[in-house]
DNA sequence: CGGTATCCAAAGTGATACTG
DNA sequence: CAGTATCACTTTGGATACCG
């Protein structure tokens, strides 16, 4: 199926639209880190050592393209790039926190099952 | 990377854990449909004509395995299978609605951009 | 420091045909 | 009605090497 049709379909359902923005492989974790304030590129990499450089860049660029993350380059030597949430990104926080809270309860439930 | 390590990482971040449950290709739309009450298999297919039979079944089974969707088979002729949210699934609704609301505002913003 | 480019393996997805 | 099986294709993601 063509990519534009997929987008069209996702555009129809607001929930799918929202999930499409935050649902990328590492986007949840990245957004989670950025709720604590702006972060430099390598700072994010240290916070998420599992994420390869390639993926970190890709996911950040997609979040930037979606308008939820702001990328600011300080032309210094050595270079410095800071990432932060845009206002639109910060408006995501209630939804993010709600899902995180649910995730916490879910984690507790499943760990209870392993140790009854 | 091994699948169990991926799970382990997702288990650490509650937000990632939550996204992992609802983030599948069609899971948002399916959950969205099921918030309206229980639905038969073909009823879901009619509500989401874009989703192939194969994917519908796969995604429903994953949601069932995650414990958020209940599958009930009525042994009649012709067969009847009803899907509904479990209590755990219903506890997801606030997060779902929050993300849907954000998605709605996002859709309005982007349509404003196309027609200023 | 903060990236790109390239290549390749693995996972995801659709189309199609078949079934109890 | 509600699936399963198989195959082909597309997409995703990691490893690695290199760059301004």
């Amino acid at each position: 199926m063509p990519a534009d049709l997929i987008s069209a379909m996702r555009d129809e359902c607001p929930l799918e639209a929202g999930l499409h923005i935050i649902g990328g492989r590492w986007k949840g974790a990245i957004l989670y880190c950025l709720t604590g304030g702006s972060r430099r590129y390598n700072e994010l990499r240290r916070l998420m050592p599992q994420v390869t450089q390639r993926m970190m860049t890709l996911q950040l660029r997609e979040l930037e393209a979606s308008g939820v993350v702001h990328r600011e380059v300080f032309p210094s030597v050595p270079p410095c790039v800071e990432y932060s949430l845009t206002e639109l990104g910060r408006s995501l926080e209630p939804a993010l926190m709600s899902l995180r809270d649910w995730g916490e309860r879910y984690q507790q439930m499943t760990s209870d099952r392993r140790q009854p």
Side-chain angles (χ1 to χ4, degrees), chain A:
Chain A
M1 185 179 300
D4 56 336
L5 258 187
I6 294 178
S7 301
M9 288 166 358
R10 283 182 161 149
D11 283 352
E12 285 169 26
C13 172
L15 178 53
E16 283 289 318
L19 274 172
H20 191 214
I21 307 291
I22 69 172
R25 183 68 186 78
W26 300 106
K27 292 184 185 174
I30 292 175
L31 292 171
Y32 203 40
C33 289
L34 291 180
T35 57
S38 75
R39 302 280 189 186
R40 293 185 58 173
Y41 182 81
N42 272 1
E43 200 174 354
L44 287 171
R45 294 217 61 204
R46 275 189 296 275
L47 290 166
M48 291 169 275
Q50 330 80 318
V51 186
T52 62
Q53 192 167 31
R54 169 190 151 84
M55 285 311 293
M56 183 65 82
T57 303
L58 281 174
Q59 300 279 284
L60 281 168
R61 293 293 154 92
E62 286 185 22
L63 289 168
E64 192 191 358
S66 303
V68 294
V69 160
H70 173 66
R71 176 175 182 264
E72 186 156 16
V73 183
F74 299 94
S76 55
V77 179
C80 168
V81 179
E82 286 205 342
Y83 292 92
S84 56
L85 293 183
T86 61
E87 197 184 322
L88 180 62
R90 284 192 298 276
S91 74
L92 251 176
E93 287 188 20
L96 257 26
M97 296 304 108
S98 184
L99 187 54
R100 181 208 54 188
D101 292 347
W102 184 87
E104 260 169 20
R105 274 176 284 133
Y106 184 83
Q107 288 175 320
Q108 283 168 11
M109 277 188 40
T110 51
S111 70
D112 286 353
R113 262 188 229 143
R114 282 196 293 269
Q115 302 188 345

